[in-house]
Amino acid sequence: MPCKIQAGWIFCLWPFFVLHAQKGPLADQFDAARAFAHVEKQVSFGPRPPGSTGIQLARQYLSEELRRHGIKTREQSFQANTPTGPIQFTNLMATLPGKSSLFARPHPLIILGSHYDTKWFPKQRFVGANDSASSTATLLEIGRILSLNPQALGSTDVTLMFFDGEEAFREYDAADGLYGSRHCAANLGRDTSRAKAMILLDMIGDRDLNVEISRGEPGLAAKVLEAARLAGCRDLFSLMDHELLDDHVPFKQRGIPSICLIDFQYGPQNRWWHTPDDSMDKISAESLRAIGKTTLHLLELLAK
């Protein structure tokens, strides 16, 4: 331990340097093994459709992990009618505040979202390693990193949103699907005016990763591509030739620049999507790393 002797006192400087040392770029702190373990834990709870024991266990796990890193969580519970009858849904949210500033009131806000439910199937066991555990795990790891670097994004706040009820019970239409994000977007209040962007992650763990970016936000899409370049994985990203209906859309309808990062080619001819084949052996920690690093670079670009 390096020490300095002065006037009969010994000052040990090592703890000071440890406490005040820079932790390095945010993206380099992304722990893909930790994120992969979060996927495994969610899958261990089994199917996680709204109202199930599985999703209750998943929500408890998410809350405990966030609180373990000093991140306060809050639940947003509501009931909605579905094709199978009334269902109770619960969104989970956590805000990591930016540093205080006399010149930034209110703080700008970036919303980072993932759904944490799995689609309900009456006759098959669907555990959703990719859809939705991969994106949810990535948000957990990003939350941990931001909690360790509270000054990294300046005065910008980041709210992590874990949506319940993204999946339709039958087929997507105006009343079936996006239950959690529709409710959340409708109840943003003052956060609507201060939100700079809404970034949605969905199905991003595929071991053969090919990420598409939803269209409609050219400026935001350009920042995603720049973030991917900085992360060293620009070749994994492309632009969709159409818009996609997902949890970012209700926020876009509120006037918030919103974009979705998704790999919608899951297995040959997308045949692993919404099947029992969506299992741990189909995803990889390296895919989680690519998305995690890109998202952290994107947060920094948006916060500037």
Side-chain angles (χ1 to χ4, degrees):
M1 178 181 294
C3 297
K4 180 179 180 182
I5 300 176
Q6 178 178 324
W9 292 89
I10 298 178
F11 296 91
C12 294
L13 303 180
W14 178 250
F16 175 85
F17 288 124
V18 169
L19 290 173
H20 292 79
Q22 294 295 318
K23 298 182 179 66
L26 292 182
D28 291 349
Q29 298 176 49
F30 190 87
D31 188 335
R34 186 189 295 265
F36 194 83
H38 289 320
V39 179
E40 288 183 308
K41 189 65 175 181
Q42 292 173 82
V43 169
S44 75
F45 299 137
R48 304 176 299 283
S52 67
T53 299
I55 200 168
Q56 292 173 16
L57 291 172
R59 185 166 59 251
Q60 180 180 350
Y61 175 72
L62 297 176
S63 297
E64 289 174 351
E65 282 297 306
L66 290 166
R67 290 170 184 163
R68 194 159 65 89
H69 297 292
I71 304 171
K72 295 180 180 179
T73 64
R74 62 189 186 278
E75 295 185 356
Q76 183 183 58
S77 296
F78 62 98
Q79 189 177 84
N81 292 321
T82 77
T84 62
I87 296 287
Q88 186 80 9
F89 298 91
T90 302
N91 295 326
L92 182 69
M93 293 175 282
T95 296
L96 294 103
K99 65 182 179 181
S100 298
S101 171
L102 296 175
F103 307 103
R105 288 287 187 269
H107 283 189
L109 171 68
I110 299 172
I111 299 168
L112 187 58
S114 165
H115 74 99
Y116 74 106
D117 63 307
T118 55
K119 187 170 177 63
W120 174 77
F121 289 102
K123 296 182 180 180
Q124 70 176 23
R125 189 174 188 272
F126 177 66
V127 297
N130 190 35
D131 184 15
S132 60
S134 66
S135 54
T136 299
T138 302
L139 254 64
L140 271 185
E141 174 59 5
I142 288 173
R144 182 188 71 86
I145 293 167
L146 294 179
S147 73
L148 295 174
N149 299 268
Q151 308 289 311
L153 301 181
S155 61
T156 299
D157 296 346
V158 175
T159 292
L160 307 178
M161 292 187 175
F162 301 89
F163 302 118
D164 194 356
E166 182 270 340
E167 300 286 6
F169 286 83
R170 291 179 182 165
E171 297 292 336
Y172 272 131
D173 61 25
D176 191 14
L178 311 184
Y179 294 95
S181 56
R182 285 190 284 126
H183 183 84
C184 187
N187 290 276
L188 277 177
R190 295 179 181 177
D191 285 347
T192 305
S193 60
R194 69 187 186 101
K196 298 176 66 174
M198 191 280 175
I199 313 299
L200 178 69
L201 307 182
D202 195 1
M203 296 176 63
I204 47 80
D206 188 354
R207 68 190 184 199
D208 182 21
L209 190 64
N210 291 284
V211 182
E212 292 184 290
I213 306 170
S214 61
R215 285 196 178 271
E217 300 286 357
L220 198 48
K223 282 187 169 62
V224 174
L225 295 177
E226 172 62 11
R229 184 191 68 79
L230 292 170
C233 55
R234 171 63 181 81
D235 59 315
L236 299 179
F237 288 75
S238 62
L239 292 172
M240 286 183 179
D241 58 6
H242 60 280
E243 183 56 280
L244 181 77
L245 182 62
D246 209 333
D247 279 322
H248 66 298
V249 171
F251 295 87
K252 185 175 181 179
Q253 292 171 341
R254 294 295 308 272
I256 299 170
S258 304
I259 203 164
C260 175
L261 310 186
I262 188 170
D263 180 349
F264 209 54
Q265 292 300 318
Y266 189 35
Q269 289 77 54
N270 203 31
R271 68 185 184 202
W272 297 339
W273 178 54
H274 283 176
T275 73
D277 287 326
D278 186 0
S279 50
M280 290 301 302
D281 60 308
K282 307 301 192 305
I283 69 168
S284 80
E286 285 307 308
S287 294
L288 302 181
R289 187 194 312 278
I291 296 299
K293 293 183 67 171
T294 296
T295 304
L296 286 163
H297 278 301
L298 178 59
L299 292 176
E300 291 186 299
L301 290 173
L302 290 170
K304 287 183 179 178

